[in-house]
Amino acid sequence: LSPILVGGSVAAKYRWIYVNDIALDSHSLGNVNWSKTIDLNPGLNTIKIMAEDAQGNNSVTKVLTIDYQVQQ
């Protein structure tokens, strides 16, 4: 496994940020910046990011695919 830090910002209206379907504990309403360390496995890794507002409305899910190649 190899860790990578992913992060970004969202509109202040969003209450929850989900990375790979897991809510980030560190995000609060009005805090537009977020980050999460993800462990990469060798080969293709898919990271899904989505935000949800207080009324349960979801943003468009962003998908990031990383091809982690182990150097020997």
Side-chain angles (χ1 to χ4, degrees):
L1 297 175
S2 180
I4 185 173
L5 181 67
V6 294
S9 61
V10 295
K13 71 177 186 174
Y14 289 111
R15 175 66 179 97
W16 298 101
I17 304 296
Y18 293 88
V19 178
N20 290 343
D21 300 322
I22 298 173
L24 299 186
D25 293 334
S26 59
H27 183 75
S28 60
L29 187 62
N31 179 9
V32 297
N33 298 312
W34 61 271
S35 64
K36 173 75 174 157
T37 300
I38 303 287
D39 287 325
L40 297 179
N41 293 305
L44 290 178
N45 293 263
T46 301
I47 301 170
K48 299 183 299 180
I49 303 161
M50 187 267 301
E52 181 181 306
D53 67 17
Q55 288 75 39
N57 300 308
N58 295 337
S59 69
V60 173
T61 299
K62 301 293 183 179
V63 178
L64 175 64
T65 302
I66 299 172
D67 187 3
Y68 172 50
Q69 299 295 314
V70 178
Q71 298 206 351
Q72 300 189 13

